[in-house]
Amino acid sequence: MDNSLLLLKKIVQEAATAASPAKQMDYIVSAVRAAMQVSVCSLFIADAQGVLTLAATDGLDPTAVGQVRLAEGEGLVGSIARSSHPLNLEDAAQHPGYRYFPETREEEYQAFLGVPLVHLRRHIGVLVVQERQRRKFTDDEEAFLVTIAAQLAPSLSLGQSHFSGETPEQDSATTQRIIGIKGASGIGIGTIHLLIENDLKQVVDQESVDTELEIDRFRAALSECRDELKQETYSLKGDLPGDVVAIFSFYEMLLDSKELSQGVEHNIRQGNWAPGALRSTILQYSTLFENMEDSYLRSRAEDMWNIGNKLYSKLRGHKTVTSQDQNLILTGDLISISDIARYKREQLVGILCQSGSSLSHTAVLANALGLPAVMGTGKIKNLIAGVPAILDGHQGQVILNPLPAVVEEFQQLANNERLLFEGLEELKELPAVTPDGHRIRLFANTGLMADVSPGLKRGAEGIGLYRSEIPFMEHENFPTEEEQKQIYRHVLSAYAGKPVTLRTLDIGGDKVLPYYHFNEENPSLGWRGIRFSLDNRPIFMTQIRAMLRAAEGLNNLRILLPMVSRVDELDTFNLLLEDAREQLKAEGYQVQRPPVGIMVEVPAAVNLLRFFASRINFVSIGSNDLTQYLLALDRNNARVSHLFDNLHPAVVQEIFRIVQQCCSIGLPVSLCGEMAADPLAVILLLGMRIETLSMNAYSLPKIKWLIRTLPVKVAEQTLQKALSMEHENQIRKLTRQVLNNHSLGKLVC
Ligand code: PEP
Ligand code: MG
């Protein structure tokens, strides 16, 4: 076969953009048949029971589509699915497993090659080619079909749920179940709200049909944008720092500027359609900004494009979300923190992020906001805004167009959950102490301004992890010392008298700043956490000074360093800290040296704990990254997320080793990853005698309930059993049983 690589690429790309699963399957069979120049290409798709149905064919009788069905192991196709192995036969009918289906009229074809379609260890189906004459398919042909099957399996897996043997094409009102990954637990019932990705830069010029109509369209978009911006500024005022709100004033100024409106209208009168006229006007002004000397003014070019995209979305008729819009399931390919910040918390019932995994920061943020989230579904084809949906964060699934009875069932489940949490509110004032007297301190994780009060409301005894990168992500530039001081002060004073652990900047990996790009092949192993900060001293020094100043007079600050893996990182930090204190003292501030701790999240840190001990005051286990690095599993990669598990025996054993080491060298130890909010994992952590757990505020009451119910003795026995287990499923079964035995089964849905 000539140009097989090119052909392969073309087929995969075109298949991915097909309008519906049925069209995609039809395209695949005819494209593969043409590429391999064979008589027949057929596609069999497996249902949940493993039954394979002929879904598309080019060559066999088309009326057989949906009619021919084989159980796993039945006939040649069924045996390929069972063995997950290709079958290349000179004469299919001679094979003992051959089964003849008269409706296909396949008797005239002798040569047979079938390959399995498997995605994430799940059987998707079988792809078959056939030829009239008796011959064995060549190695090249077999390699081509195996390769194309591997590449098509992911997108076919999305269509798998669309496909039912009877009616391959489904209308938009048909119930559809999308499987993803658990991001944040809980149930959200509402409608799909798509994050619109507009790229004005890609718009091409087009002749306008009616100049006056185009001008009216532009003016309407302008006025809609102005109203929307006023509304956004008003609704965000309480939640975001003043300087972020000030950016909105700049947007307002741009929208009011004569240069913009006259420029676009002039362009339209020259014959261009409104989007084209808008693009060329924005380009003209953004270039002016880009060429300015002053770096602040230069970065305003980006604002011009932001506002241009906003106007473009209005020109495309996208409906503005108003405060009346409720029960939204925010849906997008990637959902950033600033995307979420555009909505009032009460408007959202869930987050559906088509990429990412349970530990990507979108999921961490959803947990922090108490929003159910499903991640990593892959691109959902033909998803329409406004479709009713149930987002089930417990199971990691989304049901589109659910039947009324299903809605009722989930409503009931959600109500039970609400009642459970309301019932736990009375625990707020009670200490987290086990029935046999073991005291655990429960702290909250935060990062958002608006995120401070949920922790206090639920009885957090302090902040165990303040992710300082989050305010950095909400800004348009690195925040100044004064801006940072105000943000940190807000948190420190809200928790006056209680410890507040501010973590220094941890960007890199999936935590990117909109204004600081660095391209890395492998960002999780690259310029992250303290490495970035130490290499960017002015930024680090500004942050340290801001933290120290924010704590003046409150003295409840603890500084936590992310991604530490070497002693010299601590030595350098301690020098910087001293330097900052000296500077501030000389400037007249009364600053104290705060306790300093490290995140134990890089495996190397575990072996260096005894060397770190004299340099630090406490340790916090970052189980999210520790799991990522220990298991060599990218926490954002949906493909391997089913393997990502905090209960993996290696993770459990490693965390136990850390806790034991910290105890023996006298270092206070806490855990602040998502594991602290998982009731099954908390049983084991209790058994390890961990002293402090820090988690999203919404999980505090349930974890407190668990601690107040479960004797440490039981937790210790459970841990001992878990340490002898070889698989996370055994550990999960064991810990579930413990919850059930103590009437805590409701904690895990
Ligand atoms: C962790 O890695 O466990 C952690 C708490 O930090 P982050 O999730 O912000 O990387
Ligand atoms: Mg981390």
Side-chain angles (χ1 to χ4, degrees):
M1 268 167 19
D2 295 333
N3 288 329
S4 64
L5 203 61
L6 274 179
L7 280 169
L8 208 134
K9 243 176 144 174
K10 183 171 174 284
I11 296 174
V12 173
Q13 269 170 9
E14 294 205 2
T17 56
S20 69
K23 289 202 171 85
Q24 181 188 47
M25 294 179 198
D26 284 341
Y27 166 77
I28 289 170
V29 289
S30 58
V32 172
R33 181 187 175 189
M36 293 184 70
Q37 297 174 1
V38 289
S39 316
V40 177
C41 178
S42 310
L43 180 60
F44 291 80
I45 294 289
D47 67 13
Q49 283 69 44
V51 175
L52 293 142
T53 304
L54 179 64
T57 183
D58 187 4
L60 297 182
D61 188 334
T63 59
V65 169
Q67 305 304 316
V68 174
R69 313 183 103 221
L70 300 123
E72 198 183 272
E74 191 186 356
L76 300 179
V77 169
S79 68
I80 292 167
R82 172 164 289 172
S83 67
S84 291
H85 200 71
L87 210 50
N88 186 350
L89 305 170
E90 263 183 72
D91 186 355
Q94 300 305 314
H95 191 277
Y98 177 75
R99 214 190 121 192
Y100 173 58
F101 288 90
E103 50 274 64
T104 62
R105 307 206 189 128
E106 63 176 336
E107 58 274 20
E108 51 196 285
Y109 306 105
Q110 298 194 28
F112 174 102
L113 171 63
V115 297
L117 290 152
V118 179
H119 178 53
L120 299 179
R121 304 184 187 183
R122 238 183 48 228
H123 285 295
I124 311 299
V126 175
L127 186 62
V128 175
V129 289
Q130 290 171 278
E131 274 279 54
R132 277 209 170 76
Q133 72 276 28
R134 192 187 160 97
R135 75 166 176 103
K136 200 150 182 194
F137 285 92
T138 64
D139 285 352
D140 278 356
E141 285 172 319
E142 188 172 328
F144 179 82
L145 201 64
V146 167
T147 313
I148 201 144
Q151 302 232 22
L152 289 172
S155 63
L156 281 168
S157 76
L158 300 175
Q160 199 180 15
S161 52
H162 292 244
F163 184 80
S164 87
E166 297 296 303
T167 49
E169 186 84 62
Q170 297 197 344
D171 65 52
S172 61
T174 311
T175 292
Q176 190 184 332
R177 186 161 160 256
I178 313 278
I179 305 293
I181 301 152
K182 299 173 205 172
S185 54
I187 289 161
I189 302 175
T191 51
I192 294 292
H193 177 71
L194 295 177
L195 261 184
I196 309 297
E197 287 137 26
N198 290 298
D199 194 356
L200 182 64
K201 286 182 185 165
Q202 305 302 326
V203 167
V204 288
D205 290 339
Q206 210 169 288
E207 209 175 308
S208 86
V209 184
D210 182 337
T211 303
E212 289 315 313
L213 196 74
E214 290 298 291
I215 288 179
D216 285 351
R217 221 154 73 82
F218 170 67
R219 287 182 183 166
L222 199 60
S223 107
E224 215 184 314
C225 248
R226 280 195 196 116
D227 293 348
E228 183 178 315
L229 209 61
K230 280 204 183 85
Q231 188 58 37
E232 277 177 9
T233 318
Y234 177 75
S235 66
L236 278 174
K237 245 178 197 150
D239 293 348
L240 292 176
D243 60 319
V244 179
V245 175
I247 292 160
F248 286 88
S249 315
F250 181 71
Y251 286 170
E252 273 180 47
M253 200 185 79
L254 287 178
L255 287 176
D256 287 339
S257 74
K258 279 207 173 66
E259 285 79 1
L260 178 71
S261 54
Q262 287 175 355
V264 176
E265 290 186 18
H266 173 75
N267 258 300
I268 295 176
R269 290 194 199 287
Q270 301 277 321
N272 208 345
W273 70 321
L278 177 65
R279 192 215 63 250
S280 75
T281 311
I282 294 284
L283 179 66
Q284 186 188 344
Y285 289 104
S286 68
T287 314
L288 278 179
F289 277 105
E290 262 162 25
N291 291 330
M292 287 182 179
E293 285 273 302
D294 183 284
S295 63
Y296 175 81
L297 291 175
R298 245 193 341 267
S299 62
R300 303 280 66 86
E302 199 57 38
D303 292 330
M304 294 288 310
W305 284 108
N306 285 343
I307 211 67
N309 278 329
K310 226 173 189 342
L311 279 164
Y312 178 43
S313 88
K314 298 288 166 263
L315 282 173
R316 292 173 74 195
H318 288 137
K319 192 177 148 295
T320 306
V321 177
T322 68
S323 52
Q324 272 94 55
D325 286 309
Q326 296 292 331
N327 302 328
L328 306 177
I329 296 176
L330 188 60
T331 305
D333 217 11
L334 277 172
I335 299 178
S336 72
I337 158 168
S338 38
D339 292 328
I340 300 175
R342 280 171 32 205
Y343 301 84
K344 284 244 167 236
R345 167 65 186 86
E346 318 77 82
Q347 290 182 282
L348 302 176
V349 293
I351 291 186
L352 169 52
C353 187
Q354 298 177 77
S355 62
S357 77
S358 59
L359 286 181
S360 43
H361 285 86
T362 311
V364 169
L365 190 67
N367 274 300
L369 293 170
L371 268 173
V374 172
M375 313 287 299
T377 53
K379 190 107 192 139
I380 304 169
K381 287 246 184 83
N382 306 327
L383 193 57
I384 309 166
V387 167
I390 296 170
L391 183 131
D392 173 2
H394 298 300
Q395 309 292 331
Q397 62 170 343
V398 181
I399 303 168
L400 302 175
N401 291 308
L403 294 169
V406 177
V407 176
E408 217 170 282
E409 206 174 299
F410 275 90
Q411 194 71 62
Q412 187 65 40
L413 216 62
N415 286 345
N416 291 347
E417 225 172 69
R418 192 176 40 78
L419 290 174
L420 170 69
F421 284 109
E422 280 171 8
L424 294 179
E425 262 171 28
E426 64 198 43
L427 296 182
K428 184 194 160 194
E429 306 297 341
L430 300 174
V433 57
T434 62
D436 44 357
H438 189 72
R439 177 82 166 86
I440 306 280
R441 291 195 308 167
L442 295 186
F443 285 7
N445 291 352
T446 67
L448 284 178
M449 281 279 217
D451 194 21
V452 174
S453 52
L456 285 171
K457 261 195 241 153
R458 288 169 182 79
E461 295 169 70
I463 298 229
L465 170 64
Y466 177 86
R467 290 182 164 96
S468 72
E469 56 277 5
I470 295 186
F472 276 67
M473 288 172 184
E474 288 168 345
H475 275 65
E476 299 259 311
N477 278 304
F478 281 107
T480 62
E481 181 178 316
E482 188 55 35
E483 286 166 338
Q484 287 186 54
K485 189 213 105 179
Q486 281 176 23
I487 297 168
Y488 306 148
R489 181 86 188 171
H490 175 79
V491 187
L492 288 157
S493 46
Y495 278 81
K498 298 183 171 116
V500 172
T501 316
L502 300 186
R503 185 174 71 184
T504 60
L505 192 60
D506 183 17
I507 53 166
D510 68 330
K511 299 184 231 189
V512 288
L513 299 179
Y515 46 88
Y516 193 96
H517 298 285
F518 41 89
N519 239 341
E520 291 196 310
E521 279 276 303
N522 207 338
S524 296
L525 302 182
W527 223 23
R528 253 201 84 172
I530 195 160
R531 297 172 194 162
F532 175 86
S533 296
L534 288 174
D535 287 349
N536 291 279
R537 289 290 165 88
I539 295 168
F540 203 13
M541 202 55 176
T542 302
Q543 182 169 43
I544 299 168
R545 283 176 52 101
M547 286 181 174
L548 293 176
R549 281 180 55 204
E552 206 187 6
L554 290 166
N555 301 328
N556 56 344
L557 165 70
R558 298 166 8 126
I559 294 185
L560 181 60
L561 305 171
M563 301 288 295
V564 172
S565 63
R566 315 168 53 86
V567 285
D568 51 58
E569 289 164 343
L570 290 180
D571 291 337
T572 315
F573 171 77
N574 280 329
L575 287 175
L576 288 177
L577 182 61
E578 265 327 292
D579 196 10
R581 275 187 64 209
E582 292 301 322
Q583 289 174 16
L584 289 170
K585 268 194 201 152
E587 291 167 33
Y589 295 103
Q590 304 286 317
V591 292
Q592 291 193 350
R593 187 188 194 280
V596 172
I598 60 158
M599 298 280 296
V600 174
E601 53 188 346
V602 180
V606 186
N607 292 329
L608 294 183
L609 275 171
R610 68 205 149 101
F611 303 118
F612 291 153
S614 60
R615 295 164 162 97
I616 54 173
N617 309 98
F618 66 95
V619 151
S620 189
I621 303 171
S623 54
N624 306 341
D625 277 315
L626 186 66
T627 306
Q628 155 163 272
Y629 296 121
L630 204 58
L631 302 184
L633 286 170
D634 178 353
R635 63 195 266 190
N636 295 302
N637 187 337
R639 249 185 238 149
V640 289
S641 61
H642 60 292
L643 298 172
F644 203 111
D645 197 329
N646 290 142
L647 295 183
H648 188 292
V651 176
V652 173
Q653 289 180 33
E654 190 68 344
I655 290 180
F656 187 37
R657 192 160 77 94
I658 299 169
V659 176
Q660 280 183 316
Q661 278 205 54
C662 287
C663 287
S664 73
I665 50 183
L667 263 180
V669 59
S670 62
L671 185 140
C672 64
E674 296 305 299
M675 198 172 176
D678 174 359
L680 302 179
V682 170
I683 300 176
L684 304 176
L685 296 169
L686 261 183
M688 295 177 196
R689 298 287 189 118
I690 196 135
E691 298 141 8
T692 308
L693 293 172
S694 189
M695 68 204 74
N696 70 74
Y698 291 88
S699 297
L700 276 167
K702 68 174 186 188
I703 297 302
K704 192 185 272 187
W705 183 34
L706 188 159
I707 291 169
R708 291 181 58 84
T709 311
L710 197 74
V712 160
K713 242 186 168 155
V714 176
E716 279 175 342
Q717 287 159 0
T718 313
L719 174 69
Q720 283 315 316
K721 286 187 196 153
L723 291 173
S724 67
M725 291 178 163
E726 59 182 29
H727 199 286
E728 57 269 31
N729 288 349
Q730 296 168 315
I731 301 180
R732 178 155 284 109
K733 196 167 157 206
L734 169 77
T735 44
R736 255 179 205 275
Q737 194 55 54
V738 172
L739 286 188
N740 289 337
N741 293 347
H742 289 80
S743 309
L744 291 164
K746 277 188 193 161
L747 285 181
V748 184
C749 300

